């Protein structure tokens, strides 16, 4: 009887640590209402949001639907794979809202984790880990080439629009305090009113 071939004895031997992390992340059984993300090599699980968090999302959503230059499809909690395929593991992030032009039909038939190609804007409202929204998720969205990142920061009472993604970050930002309007460029083309954020 011949000895087993060492090359076939361990089928997972060629997996990298990043592959194992991604495999473990994708196999997570997250409790109902919780959200799991893979952000810059760290698995992050967040609890269900509070009512104020949802209030800000609703305020933005209503304005986008009523005022945008073109019709937008909107998805809450849509999983996005961001960053170049060469980065291991790819980030798996879930924005509070994802906006895409209706004509792009991005969400129809999409897997639970889809690339950010064609997404017009993502929205985050700060919650239990505000620095993740301000920094790490910002870099994830920029790395995925998402042109606009809108951040409602409850701790600082500001709304910030990050634009012009390049080399893993946004090159421009425009921030206003709650109560002031924030211009959103095309394809939105309107001033986001924040008076009712106060």
């Amino acid at each position: 009887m011949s000895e087993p071939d060492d090359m076939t004895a361990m089928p997972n031997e060629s997996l990298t640590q990043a592959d194992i992390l991604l495999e473990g992340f994708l196999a997570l059984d997250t409790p109902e209402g919780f959200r799991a993300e893979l952000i810059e090599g760290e698995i992050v699980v967040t609890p269900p949001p509070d009512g104020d968090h949802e209030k800000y999302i609703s305020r933005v959503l209503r304005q986008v639907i009523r005022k945008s230059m073109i019709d937008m499809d909107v998805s809450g909690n849509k999983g996005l794979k961001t960053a170049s395929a060469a980065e291991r593991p790819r980030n798996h992030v879930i924005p509070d809202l994802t906006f895409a032009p209706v004509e792009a039909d991005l969400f129809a038939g999409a897997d639970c984790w889809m690339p950010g190609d064609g997404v017009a804007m993502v929205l985050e409202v700060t919650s239990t880990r505000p620095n993740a929204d301000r920094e790490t998720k910002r870099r994830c969205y920029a790395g995925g080439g998402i042109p606009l990142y809108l951040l409602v920061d409850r701790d600082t009472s500001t709304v910030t629009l990050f634009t012009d993604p390049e080399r893993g970050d946004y090159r421009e930002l425009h921030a206003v305090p709650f109560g002031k309007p924030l211009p959103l460029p095309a394809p939105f083309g309107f001033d986001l009113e924040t008076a009712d954020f106060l």
Side-chain angles (χ1 to χ4, degrees), residues 24-77:
F25 167 73
L26 294 173
L28 281 177
D29 186 17
T30 310
E32 186 175 338
F34 282 70
R35 158 173 33 181
E37 300 170 286
L38 179 59
I39 303 173
E40 295 184 344
E42 179 184 358
I43 295 174
V44 178
V45 178
T46 53
D50 61 32
D52 285 341
H53 181 273
E54 299 303 280
K55 174 188 88 170
Y56 292 114
I57 291 172
S58 176
R59 300 294 191 270
V60 172
L61 177 59
R62 283 199 315 256
Q63 290 185 60
V64 168
I65 289 171
R66 285 194 325 250
K67 299 179 180 181
S68 286
M69 293 169 46
I70 64 172
D71 287 338
M72 287 285 166
D73 274 336
V74 182
S75 179
N77 299 315

Side-chain angles (χ1 to χ4, degrees), residues 90-145:
R90 293 180 79 177
N91 295 306
H92 286 66
V93 291
I94 304 173
D96 289 323
L97 288 180
T98 303
F99 298 93
V102 167
E103 64 191 28
D105 203 22
L106 284 186
F107 304 127
D111 289 335
C112 56
W113 295 102
M114 66 177 231
D117 302 337
V119 169
M121 181 172 74
V122 292
L123 166 70
E124 291 286 359
V125 176
T126 57
S127 54
T128 56
R129 294 176 47 119
N131 283 335
D133 295 323
R134 293 178 192 131
E135 297 174 24
T136 52
K137 290 185 92 170
R138 183 195 76 227
R139 290 191 299 268
C140 290
Y141 298 136

